[in-house]
Amino acid sequence: MKNKTKSIVMTGVFAAIICVLSQIAIPMPTGVPVTLQTFAVALCGYFLGVKKGTAAVLVYILLGAAGIPVFSGFKGGFACLGALTGGFIYGFLALALLCGIQLKHKPLRIALGAAGILVCHFFGTLQFALLTGNGFIQAFFLVSAPYLIKDFISVVLAYFGALAVGKAYKAKEAM
């Protein structure tokens, strides 16, 4: 029972972290802001693993869909998922899932996180293209390409951040 309670609490805590870091945003002319969401989502996956990390992201998405203003710019509501940036929000599930795959080799775990970024950007670009009538390539250069380097850096920082948090958490548990 104790482990189940701890899992639920940790999932909720990390969903809250995504909510908070989503509000640190710089608006951009394309409507896709620069945020710390990708860092937070990758951190969830790396620290919590596949199931709990993906669950934390799903909780975040459901809170936003229910109207709680947790999406970037304090937005919320089901309509946000169908808006220009909605595809990125769906893509966060793949990002958390891929970051959560537990492999022993650091480069492979970071590569999975980078693959998660690519999947996330694919969904985001696709939805943006469909809603704006732009071609996929044009949409890619508008809403994906400018953010890729920042998002790849976010994944690497999240990986090492998760290692540090995990080490501190284990030290606290040992006390």
Side-chain angles (χ1 to χ4, degrees), residues 26-41:
I26 301 168
M28 300 301 280
T30 60
V32 178
V34 174
T35 70
L36 292 178
Q37 285 171 308
T38 51
F39 171 81
V41 169

Side-chain angles (χ1 to χ4, degrees), residues 57-132:
V57 173
L58 185 59
V59 166
Y60 163 73
I61 292 170
L62 292 174
L63 287 170
I68 299 171
V70 297
F71 297 141
S72 178
F74 292 101
K75 294 178 187 150
F78 192 73
C80 292
L81 299 176
L84 293 177
T85 60
F88 291 101
I89 296 170
Y90 297 127
F92 290 154
L93 290 167
L95 176 58
L97 186 139
L98 288 169
C99 288
I101 295 173
Q102 301 294 317
L103 299 173
K104 293 188 186 249
H105 296 83
K106 289 178 190 178
L108 290 178
R109 291 197 68 202
I110 292 171
L112 282 173
I117 289 294
L118 294 176
V119 172
C120 183
H121 277 252
F122 172 79
F123 284 118
T125 301
L126 181 63
Q127 185 159 324
F128 186 89
L130 291 173
L131 292 176
T132 61

